[in-house]
């Protein structure tokens, strides 16, 4: 899941809202809609090859994350013709399929020999299928993403810091295998002085306005045993959403926020996390994988100073991570669907997907990510593989916006504002979500 509303926080500087790649007549151009961020820059470069091969010009409508959902969901709901192709949030699949916004791609995939089994299974479920876990496809996996962690590798390797940590905890300072270990490390670094500067334990998601605190809390709750519903009875949430394991996970998240975050971290999401890490404030940093290439290249904290690790295990050994990323779909209201489908076919090829990865896109094609050389292709590649193997996602229901608004309020009120207990927050969330599904006629 990513992203409802958020700033591009400087990652897509200099990118114009609309970019033309060729002088092909406007009538033959395709317009692809997405968010304004670094991967969009890479897609502009990649798509030049499509124009060379087909003669079809490409235009791009890239909108900052702050306006991304409002802009394009309004466009779809009004049956607008701006977008021929759209890279939409994973959470849009249910509503876009049921409301007829996207072209169903099954027949096209069959005709062109595009096999969804060739793509990472989790991305097919997360970005393409509706209903979930059925062979009904509304997009091609376009950009794989997942919540993981960066850490100050140089601090972890510092002999004096290593010694102090071992004296306190009786073990070596290393990448945490469990959330309990992660909290120990965060507490150890909290308000520690390094190179004459006071540093802090961890940057985590707390943002209230869009989806931030939900993405952070769920990233932890999954590994504590949280389940959205009874596996044997869809939409039955009592005893699952608010199970004792779920309560323990939410209590842990609040404890981590209270003990180990930097000052002013009450409304932190992707941009604030990047800023905290780049400025040398924190030892560890929760964020989506799309931030990793930029952090790796950063002159101040990148290179040998930065490391990456997948979401740790929970108390019972369960290990999951919050899915991000998007699929690419053909808009049902486009008058250029045949040309748009040509782009989908081109984008699905192995050579294009390999170049996509090399330019900074996160490919979902198994031929790319399962290549023997992939894990060594970037310092964060293995962590990306490990993380994508353990993903779960938020509700992809057509009413996901209402479901998300409820979790944002319940989680922020408890974690940040300190209102009530974790059990009360989750009990309230069951009530909120039940009302949404009752209104939808699903309960």
């Amino acid at each position: 899941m990513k992203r409802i509303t958020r700033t591009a926080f400087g990652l897509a500087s200099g990118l114009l809202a609309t970019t033309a790649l060729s002088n092909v007549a406007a009538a033959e151009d395709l317009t692809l809609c997405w968010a304004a961020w670094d991967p969009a820059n890479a897609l502009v470069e990649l798509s030049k090859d499509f124009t060379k091969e087909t003669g079809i010009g490409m235009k791009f409508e890239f909108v900052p994350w702050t306006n991304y959902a409002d802009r394009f969901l309004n466009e779809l709901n009004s049956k607008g013709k701006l977008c021929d192709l759209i890279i939409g949030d994973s959470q849009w699949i249910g509503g876009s399929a049921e409301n007829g916004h996207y072209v169903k791609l099954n027949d096209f995939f069959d005709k062109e020999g595009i096999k969804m089994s060739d793509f990472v299974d989790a991305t097919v479920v997360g970005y393409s299928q509706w209903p979930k876990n059925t062979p009904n496809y509304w997009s091609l996996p376009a950009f794989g993403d997942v919540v993981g962690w960066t850490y100050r590798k140089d601090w972890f390797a510092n002999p004096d810091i290593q010694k102090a940590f071992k004296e306190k905890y009786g073990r070596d300072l290393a990448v945490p295998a469990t959330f309990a270990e992660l909290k120990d490390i965060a507490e150890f670094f909290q308000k520690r002085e390094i190179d004459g500067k006071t540093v802090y334990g961890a940057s985590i998601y707390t943002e209230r306005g869009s989806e931030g605190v939900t993405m952070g809390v769920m990233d932890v709750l999954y590994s504590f045993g949280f389940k959205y519903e009874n596996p044997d009875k869809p939409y039955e949430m009592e005893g699952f959403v608010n199970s004792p394991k779920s309560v323990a996970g939410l209590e842990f998240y609040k404890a981590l926020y209270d003990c180990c975050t930097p000052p002013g971290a009450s409304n932190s999401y992707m941009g604030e996390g990047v800023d905290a890490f780049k400025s040398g404030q924190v030892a560890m940093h929760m964020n989506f994988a799309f931030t990793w290439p930029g952090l790796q290249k950063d002159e101040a904290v990148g290179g040998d100073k930065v490391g990456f690790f997948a979401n740790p295990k929970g108390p019972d050994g369960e290990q999951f991570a919050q899915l991000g990323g998007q699929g690419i779909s053909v808009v049902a209201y486009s008058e250029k669907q045949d040309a748009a489908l040509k782009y989908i076919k081109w984008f699905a090829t192995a050579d294009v997907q390999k170049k996509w990865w090399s330019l900074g896109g996160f490919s979902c094609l198994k031929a790319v990510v399962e290549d023997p050389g992939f894990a060594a292709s970037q310092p964060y590649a293995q962590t990306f593989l490990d993380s994508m193997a353990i993903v779960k996602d938020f509700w992809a229901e057509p009413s996901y916006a209402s479901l998300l608004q409820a979790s944002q309020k319940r989680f922020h009120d408890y974690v940040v504002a300190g209102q009530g207990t974790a059990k009360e927050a989750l009990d309230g969330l069951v009530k909120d979500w039940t009302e949404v599904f009752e209104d939808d006629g699903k309960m």
Side-chain angles (χ1 to χ4, degrees), residues 211-385:
E211 64 174 13
V213 70
T214 297
M215 294 293 94
V217 167
M218 296 316 306
D219 195 53
V220 172
L221 259 61
Y222 295 141
S223 296
F224 273 73
F226 172 98
K227 290 181 173 57
Y228 284 103
E229 57 193 342
N230 184 340
D232 299 320
K233 190 175 181 181
Y235 307 111
E236 181 180 87
M237 294 168 284
E238 181 65 39
F240 295 89
V241 168
N242 57 350
S243 69
K245 291 183 178 181
S246 301
V247 170
L250 187 52
E251 289 174 340
F252 175 90
Y253 199 84
K254 177 171 176 52
L256 186 62
Y257 169 73
D258 287 342
C259 79
C260 305
T261 54
S266 61
N267 195 41
S268 179
Y269 197 20
M270 298 175 288
E272 291 79 10
V274 167
D275 290 344
F277 194 83
K278 282 188 173 183
S279 63
Q281 286 189 67
V282 293
M284 296 179 293
H285 163 221
M286 165 191 279
N287 220 331
F288 283 101
F290 86 90
T291 62
W292 297 349
L295 292 174
Q296 176 64 38
K297 296 175 184 176
D298 188 81
E299 292 183 1
V301 299
D304 293 337
K305 295 180 180 179
V306 65
F308 308 90
F309 63 91
N311 218 29
K313 296 177 182 178
D316 298 326
E318 294 186 82
Q319 185 178 22
F320 299 101
Q322 174 60 49
L323 180 69
Q326 304 94 25
I328 183 170
S329 300
V330 176
V331 177
Y333 316 115
S334 168
E335 297 175 349
K336 305 172 186 177
Q337 291 183 20
D338 288 345
L341 289 169
K342 287 182 181 178
Y343 187 92
I344 297 282
K345 179 182 178 181
W346 169 82
F347 188 74
T349 61
D351 287 345
V352 172
Q353 286 293 305
K354 289 176 183 177
K355 187 170 182 178
W356 180 221
W357 169 252
S358 71
L359 290 173
F362 279 50
S363 175
C364 303
L365 189 68
K366 290 179 180 177
V368 175
V369 300
E370 294 179 359
D371 183 275
F374 180 84
S377 64
Q378 294 289 349
Y380 46 80
Q382 185 61 58
T383 301
F384 175 68
L385 290 178

Side-chain angles (χ1 to χ4, degrees), residues 134 148-149 200 309 361 427 439:
T134 69
W149 296 80
Y200 302 90
F309 63 91
D427 286 346
D439 289 345

